């Protein structure tokens, strides 16, 4: 790939990323015209998105071959336990 | 301006987990880019105008492959489609932030979204500025990490395996925090269950879009119940 081809590729990646970030705000810029369902999603989605992000982080972990995702599960559980312990003490 | 200083004092401690994570993950990106023969100017360009973790890692692979900008565009659209959900979740919170708004939208990463969602400014600190400073600092950390990794990449053999768990841990902590703060766990359970089902069905490369559709559909299905119970704004 030449330098200018690399540059175009990078700009294409940047443009696609920007589109995903700005689209929701652009489409639903006017609160009065925003569908009630979207406003409802705005309230409940944050709770679901964090779960989705955790699954996304573990997406390349194989559950059906050794070690069956056990190291990742143990690490996540330990993180949660440490957090809860630190909070109550 | 004392106002700005107060805001930075309030915001900076909240960015520390991301400081650690972005320096390491950014460095991992920089090392990978260097291994493909692209120097610090390229690292700087990419971290400044793309600013997306998984997006930039995929971009390195795209740079190593054959030239096809349209394919690159569509692939990244899919990889970053989760940003659509962040936008919908932050419509209210970003409203009325004026000229800061486009910057904060551009700065919306997984990590920034999760920090913005889980923190409140202390009394006397403007929320718009608070979110603006957090978001901007995160971008700065990411750029720095990328540059450090790219410049030192050739010198030190740095094995980035496992580094990304810093971010996973952050999300787990926020998940637990949200779980404890909310009586109804259905949205959180849908957030774990639906993507997991989509992942098993479609595999890691293609699961994201079906997962998002499934999450939205299930939230729609339980709308009556959830709407009756939710009092507070969602992004807390």
């Amino acid at each position: 790939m030449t330098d200018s081809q690399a540059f175009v590729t990078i700009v294409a990646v940047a443009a696609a990323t920007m589109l995903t970030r700005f689209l929701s705000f652009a489409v639903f810029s006017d609160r009065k015209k925003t569908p009630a369902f979207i406003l409802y999603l705005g309230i409940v989605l944050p709770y679901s998105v964090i779960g989705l992000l955790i699954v996304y982080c573990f997406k390349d972990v194989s559950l059906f071959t050794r070690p069956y995702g056990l190291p990742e599960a143990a690490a996540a559980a330990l993180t949660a336990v440490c957090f809860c312990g630190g909070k109550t003490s | 301006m004392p106002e700005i200083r107060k805001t930075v004092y309030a915001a900076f401690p909240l960015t520390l987990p991301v400081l650690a994570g972005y320096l390491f993950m950014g460095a991992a990106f920089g090392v990978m880019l260097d291994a493909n023969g692209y120097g610090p100017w390229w690292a700087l360009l990419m971290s400044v105008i793309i600013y997306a973790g998984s997006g930039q890692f995929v971009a390195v692979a795209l740079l190593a492959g054959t030239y096809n900008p349209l394919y690159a565009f569509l692939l990244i659209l899919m990889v970053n489609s989760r940003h659509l959900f962040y936008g919908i979740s932050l419509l209210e919170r970003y409203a009325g932030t004026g000229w800061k708004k486009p910057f904060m939208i551009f700065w919306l990463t997984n990590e920034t979204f999760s920090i913005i969602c889980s923190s409140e400014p202390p009394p006397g600190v403007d929320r718009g500025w608070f979110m603006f400073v957090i978001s901007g600092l995160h971008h700065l950390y990411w750029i720095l990490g990328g540059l450090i990794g790219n410049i030192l990449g050739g010198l030190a053999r740095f094995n980035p395996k496992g580094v990304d768990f810093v971010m996973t841990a952050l999300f787990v902590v926020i998940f637990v925090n949200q779980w404890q703060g909310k009586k109804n766990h259905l949205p959180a359970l849908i957030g774990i269950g639906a993507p997991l089902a989509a992942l098993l069905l479609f595999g890691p490369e293609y699961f994201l879009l079906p997962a998002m559709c499934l999450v939205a559909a299930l939230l729609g299905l339980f709308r009556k119940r959830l709407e009756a119970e939710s009092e507070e704004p969602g992004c807390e």
Side-chain angles (χ1 to χ4, degrees):
Chain A
M1 202 176 285
T2 65
D3 277 0
S4 48
Q5 284 177 335
F7 184 77
V8 172
T9 304
I10 290 169
V11 169
V13 170
T17 306
M18 262 188 244
L19 184 63
T20 59
R21 284 179 174 143
F22 279 91
L23 195 63
S24 304
F25 291 97
V27 173
F28 306 118
S29 59
D30 186 354
R31 196 183 187 281
K32 284 182 201 108
K33 282 188 196 139
T34 303
F37 182 62
I38 296 297
L39 292 176
Y40 156 72
L41 277 186
I43 294 171
V44 285
L45 258 186
Y47 296 95
S48 306
V49 172
I50 300 292
L52 182 125
L53 271 176
I54 294 174
V55 177
Y56 179 78
C57 288
F58 289 134
K59 70 178 161 52
D60 295 313
V61 175
S62 169
L63 291 177
F64 303 110
T65 51
R66 284 215 297 180
Y68 309 105
L70 285 176
E72 287 80 6
L78 187 65
T79 308
V81 168
C82 286
F83 173 67
C84 292
K87 230 175 126 172
T88 45
S89 61
Chain B
M1 280 206 287
E3 286 290 313
I4 304 279
R5 231 169 98 190
K6 209 170 150 192
T7 311
V8 174
Y9 275 142
F12 177 68
L14 293 170
T15 67
L16 286 175
V18 178
L19 172 64
Y22 274 13
L23 284 182
F24 275 109
M25 273 171 56
F29 158 75
V31 169
M32 261 179 73
L33 195 65
D34 172 68
N36 282 280
Y38 291 90
W41 288 109
W42 289 102
L44 186 67
L45 173 76
M46 291 172 78
S47 294
V48 168
I49 72 167
I50 302 174
Y51 185 38
S54 40
Q56 278 175 238
F57 282 102
V58 175
V60 176
L62 288 168
L63 288 175
T66 36
Y67 176 62
N68 188 342
L70 182 66
Y71 171 74
F73 184 84
L74 294 174
L75 181 68
I76 295 297
L77 219 50
M78 207 170 78
V79 169
N80 286 334
S81 52
R82 64 190 186 285
H83 291 146
L84 294 174
F85 273 11
Y86 303 163
I88 293 172
S89 304
L90 292 172
L91 285 174
E92 296 279 294
R93 195 165 268 230
Y94 278 9
T97 47
W99 61 267
K100 296 192 268 325
K101 192 172 167 182
F103 287 94
M104 296 198 299
I105 296 172
F106 175 78
W107 283 331
L108 259 185
T109 59
N110 300 346
E111 293 74 21
T112 302
F113 171 79
S114 59
I115 297 291
I116 293 276
C117 262
S118 56
S119 48
E120 279 294 319
V125 171
D126 176 71
R127 176 181 280 184
W129 275 106
F130 182 70
M131 298 189 297
F132 182 83
V133 169
I134 290 177
S135 310
L137 282 175
H138 286 179
H139 193 187
L140 211 64
Y141 303 156
W142 178 253
I143 294 169
L144 266 176
L147 280 176
I148 293 171
N150 190 268
I151 292 167
L152 299 184
L155 304 175
R157 277 285 138 248
F158 165 64
N159 180 2
K161 189 173 175 358
V163 161
D164 50 352
F165 190 76
V166 184
M167 291 307 153
T168 314
L170 176 69
F171 301 141
V172 169
V173 164
I174 289 169
F175 185 85
V176 173
N177 204 21
Q178 285 185 340
W179 183 277
Q180 290 169 337
K182 195 103 166 96
K183 266 184 239 120
N184 193 328
H185 300 311
L186 197 57
L189 288 173
I190 289 174
I192 291 278
L196 207 57
L199 179 61
L200 293 175
L201 270 172
F202 298 97
E205 264 177 84
Y206 303 107
F207 87 107
L208 207 50
L209 276 182
M212 287 169 60
C213 294
L214 196 56
V215 167
L218 284 172
L219 288 174
L221 198 65
F222 293 107
R223 183 175 173 185
K224 276 225 169 70
R225 239 177 82 191
L226 287 170
E227 226 162 15
E229 286 173 36
S230 71
E231 341 56 42
E232 75 274 55
C235 194
E236 290 302 334

